[in-house]
Amino acid sequence: MSRTSTTKAAKAGKRRRRHQSAKAGDAAQDPQAARTAGPGESAAPHDPGPGSRPTDPASASASAPPGGQALPQPRAQDPAVRIAEAAQAAFDGLYTRNAPALLRQVELLTGSMPLARHAVHRAFDLAWQRWPEVAVDPDPAGWIRAEAHHHALAPWQQLLPWFRTPPRERSPFQRLPRGTRHAVLLHDGLGLSLRRTAAESLATTSMTRRRIVRGREALGEAAAVRLGDLLDEQPQPEYPAAMVRELSEQWLRIRTVGAVGATVLIALVTAVGLVFGPLSDRVAADRDPVGQRTSAPAP
């Protein structure tokens, strides 16, 4: 081969190597070119571009938790938990706002603070057990007030010695008949309308009007003012709202277990009667069969 051919071959090899180097440099700057590079052509790593942070293996390994496991992502709160927390917050707010005033109302109606605490606690206990019903009521405070008033004014409450108020310790308002002082408290003390007073006192509108008139005549014209002043003195409830809910749930579990136990006991006694009742009848029949005659001995 001549020297001219050798020189041309060397120059062509140099041009080919420069062309491949240029392609590699373009691929380093353009990721699309790197992906379209053919076999045997090298491509530079992808450039993260401006504004992105390069990945450092040392820092990545330092931030990873021991064992190479990813940290658990915080889970979204269960909807049932959110509903329960909202119900508890609504009940606690209702108790905080209304329990002191309700205690004072029942104390004025009965003259007994122990009975007032018992009636108010029972009303809120019942409200928590029936909370879906109470929550959608147009007036939850009125629902609880009606339960506490009617329970405290029940005639059998005065038969209990720890709730009984001696007659000499009763105020002129507490000496009025139960229906009269209830109507006067609702209408003149709390400012309810005549129709609402009749509905809460479970009486007709005409009867409620007569009760209010008789109560005002017995107490004087300034009865409403005095009742308003007395209702301003509000004692604090015995238990906080959270404890009322907890005690209500505990008593509900106890009553549920008692009801289930009583049902099982009744079913067991019934089953025993069904099994051993016919058996005892058969045993008695075998011992003394009906119509059996003793044959006389032959002569």
Side-chain angles (χ1 to χ4, degrees), residues 26 51 53 60 76 86 99 116 153 164 170 180 199 211 229 233 255 270 285 296:
D26 293 342
R53 299 178 59 186
L153 291 173
R164 186 183 304 164
R170 297 176 185 173
T180 302
R211 287 175 174 176
D229 294 340
E233 304 172 2
R255 287 192 291 266
T270 304

mmCIF file of all heavy atoms in Angstrom, residues 26 51 53 60 76 86 99 116 153 164 170 180 199 211 229 233 255 270 285 296:
data_model
loop_
_atom_site.group_PDB
_atom_site.id
_atom_site.type_symbol
_atom_site.label_atom_id
_atom_site.label_comp_id
_atom_site.label_asym_id
_atom_site.label_seq_id
_atom_site.Cartn_x
_atom_site.Cartn_y
_atom_site.Cartn_z
ATOM 1 N N ASP A 26 -23.080 15.812 22.555
ATOM 2 C CA ASP A 26 -24.472 16.234 22.366
ATOM 3 C C ASP A 26 -25.425 15.434 23.244
ATOM 4 O O ASP A 26 -26.405 15.958 23.779
ATOM 5 C CB ASP A 26 -24.862 16.055 20.889
ATOM 6 C CG ASP A 26 -24.088 17.021 19.991
ATOM 7 O OD1 ASP A 26 -23.563 18.006 20.552
ATOM 8 O OD2 ASP A 26 -24.007 16.750 18.780
ATOM 9 N N GLY A 51 -31.871 24.325 39.018
ATOM 10 C CA GLY A 51 -32.878 24.360 40.062
ATOM 11 C C GLY A 51 -33.091 23.049 40.775
ATOM 12 O O GLY A 51 -33.783 23.002 41.783
ATOM 13 N N ARG A 53 -31.669 19.573 42.779
ATOM 14 C CA ARG A 53 -30.549 19.216 43.653
ATOM 15 C C ARG A 53 -30.001 17.874 43.238
ATOM 16 O O ARG A 53 -30.754 16.899 43.093
ATOM 17 C CB ARG A 53 -31.018 19.174 45.102
ATOM 18 C CG ARG A 53 -31.539 20.511 45.598
ATOM 19 C CD ARG A 53 -32.025 20.403 47.019
ATOM 20 N NE ARG A 53 -30.972 19.952 47.906
ATOM 21 C CZ ARG A 53 -31.149 19.666 49.192
ATOM 22 N NH1 ARG A 53 -32.349 19.786 49.723
ATOM 23 N NH2 ARG A 53 -30.140 19.277 49.928
ATOM 24 N N ALA A 60 -27.954 10.532 50.916
ATOM 25 C CA ALA A 60 -29.138 9.677 50.847
ATOM 26 C C ALA A 60 -29.059 8.544 51.840
ATOM 27 O O ALA A 60 -30.025 8.191 52.517
ATOM 28 C CB ALA A 60 -29.303 9.136 49.431
ATOM 29 N N ALA A 76 -54.601 8.968 56.923
ATOM 30 C CA ALA A 76 -55.734 9.873 57.116
ATOM 31 C C ALA A 76 -56.624 9.368 58.254
ATOM 32 O O ALA A 76 -56.765 8.157 58.456
ATOM 33 C CB ALA A 76 -56.546 9.979 55.817
ATOM 34 N N ALA A 86 -66.565 14.752 66.960
ATOM 35 C CA ALA A 86 -67.502 15.869 66.788
ATOM 36 C C ALA A 86 -68.704 15.729 67.717
ATOM 37 O O ALA A 86 -69.173 16.716 68.300
ATOM 38 C CB ALA A 86 -67.966 15.937 65.329
ATOM 39 N N ALA A 99 -75.832 23.041 81.954
ATOM 40 C CA ALA A 99 -75.932 22.306 83.222
ATOM 41 C C ALA A 99 -76.069 23.230 84.436
ATOM 42 O O ALA A 99 -76.921 22.978 85.307
ATOM 43 C CB ALA A 99 -74.739 21.371 83.373
ATOM 44 N N ALA A 116 -81.839 17.867 92.497
ATOM 45 C CA ALA A 116 -81.497 18.611 91.285
ATOM 46 C C ALA A 116 -80.290 17.996 90.589
ATOM 47 O O ALA A 116 -80.285 17.817 89.366
ATOM 48 C CB ALA A 116 -81.220 20.075 91.635
ATOM 49 N N LEU A 153 -89.987 16.446 89.096
ATOM 50 C CA LEU A 153 -91.333 16.725 89.599
ATOM 51 C C LEU A 153 -92.193 15.476 89.729
ATOM 52 O O LEU A 153 -93.377 15.586 90.073
ATOM 53 C CB LEU A 153 -92.040 17.721 88.677
ATOM 54 C CG LEU A 153 -91.476 19.144 88.696
ATOM 55 C CD1 LEU A 153 -92.152 19.996 87.623
ATOM 56 C CD2 LEU A 153 -91.633 19.777 90.071
ATOM 57 N N ARG A 164 -86.379 14.294 99.963
ATOM 58 C CA ARG A 164 -87.544 14.962 100.517
ATOM 59 C C ARG A 164 -87.142 16.286 101.171
ATOM 60 O O ARG A 164 -86.135 16.376 101.881
ATOM 61 C CB ARG A 164 -88.227 14.062 101.532
ATOM 62 C CG ARG A 164 -89.540 14.593 102.083
ATOM 63 C CD ARG A 164 -90.071 13.638 103.129
ATOM 64 N NE ARG A 164 -90.208 12.282 102.587
ATOM 65 C CZ ARG A 164 -90.348 11.189 103.330
ATOM 66 N NH1 ARG A 164 -90.333 11.296 104.652
ATOM 67 N NH2 ARG A 164 -90.481 10.007 102.751
ATOM 68 N N ARG A 170 -89.564 24.857 102.773
ATOM 69 C CA ARG A 170 -89.959 25.192 101.416
ATOM 70 C C ARG A 170 -90.275 26.680 101.308
ATOM 71 O O ARG A 170 -90.847 27.276 102.217
ATOM 72 C CB ARG A 170 -91.179 24.375 100.992
ATOM 73 C CG ARG A 170 -90.927 22.882 100.956
ATOM 74 C CD ARG A 170 -92.204 22.135 100.624
ATOM 75 N NE ARG A 170 -92.015 20.693 100.704
ATOM 76 C CZ ARG A 170 -92.984 19.803 100.590
ATOM 77 N NH1 ARG A 170 -94.246 20.217 100.393
ATOM 78 N NH2 ARG A 170 -92.722 18.515 100.681
ATOM 79 N N THR A 180 -98.408 24.265 88.748
ATOM 80 C CA THR A 180 -98.403 25.731 88.787
ATOM 81 C C THR A 180 -96.986 26.272 88.830
ATOM 82 O O THR A 180 -96.639 27.200 88.081
ATOM 83 C CB THR A 180 -99.202 26.222 90.008
ATOM 84 O OG1 THR A 180 -100.540 25.724 89.931
ATOM 85 C CG2 THR A 180 -99.218 27.738 90.073
ATOM 86 N N ALA A 199 -96.672 23.190 76.038
ATOM 87 C CA ALA A 199 -96.112 21.959 75.466
ATOM 88 C C ALA A 199 -95.134 21.295 76.427
ATOM 89 O O ALA A 199 -95.142 20.061 76.581
ATOM 90 C CB ALA A 199 -95.430 22.280 74.133
ATOM 91 N N ARG A 211 -102.982 28.385 85.381
ATOM 92 C CA ARG A 211 -101.926 28.111 86.359
ATOM 93 C C ARG A 211 -101.024 29.326 86.553
ATOM 94 O O ARG A 211 -100.640 29.655 87.693
ATOM 95 C CB ARG A 211 -101.098 26.909 85.899
ATOM 96 C CG ARG A 211 -101.799 25.574 86.044
ATOM 97 C CD ARG A 211 -100.957 24.458 85.448
ATOM 98 N NE ARG A 211 -101.548 23.145 85.689
ATOM 99 C CZ ARG A 211 -101.061 22.001 85.210
ATOM 100 N NH1 ARG A 211 -99.962 22.022 84.453
ATOM 101 N NH2 ARG A 211 -101.667 20.848 85.480
ATOM 102 N N ASP A 229 -84.077 36.893 89.325
ATOM 103 C CA ASP A 229 -82.909 37.097 90.193
ATOM 104 C C ASP A 229 -82.419 35.777 90.778
ATOM 105 O O ASP A 229 -81.208 35.548 90.902
ATOM 106 C CB ASP A 229 -83.263 38.069 91.315
ATOM 107 C CG ASP A 229 -83.553 39.469 90.788
ATOM 108 O OD1 ASP A 229 -83.122 39.773 89.655
ATOM 109 O OD2 ASP A 229 -84.246 40.241 91.494
ATOM 110 N N GLU A 233 -78.377 32.941 89.964
ATOM 111 C CA GLU A 233 -77.413 32.236 90.816
ATOM 112 C C GLU A 233 -77.320 30.786 90.338
ATOM 113 O O GLU A 233 -78.202 29.979 90.594
ATOM 114 C CB GLU A 233 -77.847 32.299 92.280
ATOM 115 C CG GLU A 233 -78.060 33.712 92.804
ATOM 116 C CD GLU A 233 -78.684 33.711 94.190
ATOM 117 O OE1 GLU A 233 -78.895 32.599 94.726
ATOM 118 O OE2 GLU A 233 -78.951 34.802 94.718
ATOM 119 N N ARG A 255 -76.074 -2.216 82.016
ATOM 120 C CA ARG A 255 -77.473 -2.555 81.735
ATOM 121 C C ARG A 255 -77.591 -3.541 80.574
ATOM 122 O O ARG A 255 -78.453 -4.423 80.584
ATOM 123 C CB ARG A 255 -78.261 -1.276 81.441
ATOM 124 C CG ARG A 255 -78.523 -0.422 82.664
ATOM 125 C CD ARG A 255 -79.535 0.659 82.358
ATOM 126 N NE ARG A 255 -79.008 1.654 81.456
ATOM 127 C CZ ARG A 255 -78.429 2.797 81.855
ATOM 128 N NH1 ARG A 255 -78.299 3.056 83.150
ATOM 129 N NH2 ARG A 255 -77.984 3.668 80.971
ATOM 130 N N THR A 270 -86.819 -21.773 80.749
ATOM 131 C CA THR A 270 -87.853 -22.259 79.838
ATOM 132 C C THR A 270 -87.459 -23.578 79.199
ATOM 133 O O THR A 270 -88.273 -24.513 79.088
ATOM 134 C CB THR A 270 -88.130 -21.207 78.753
ATOM 135 O OG1 THR A 270 -88.479 -19.961 79.380
ATOM 136 C CG2 THR A 270 -89.251 -21.641 77.834
ATOM 137 N N ALA A 285 -96.772 -41.260 85.187
ATOM 138 C CA ALA A 285 -97.685 -42.183 84.508
ATOM 139 C C ALA A 285 -97.201 -43.617 84.621
ATOM 140 O O ALA A 285 -98.002 -44.565 84.750
ATOM 141 C CB ALA A 285 -97.834 -41.785 83.054
ATOM 142 N N ALA A 296 -107.787 -60.195 90.248
ATOM 143 C CA ALA A 296 -108.026 -60.955 91.483
ATOM 144 C C ALA A 296 -107.455 -62.370 91.332
ATOM 145 O O ALA A 296 -107.458 -62.945 90.239
ATOM 146 C CB ALA A 296 -109.512 -61.036 91.747
#
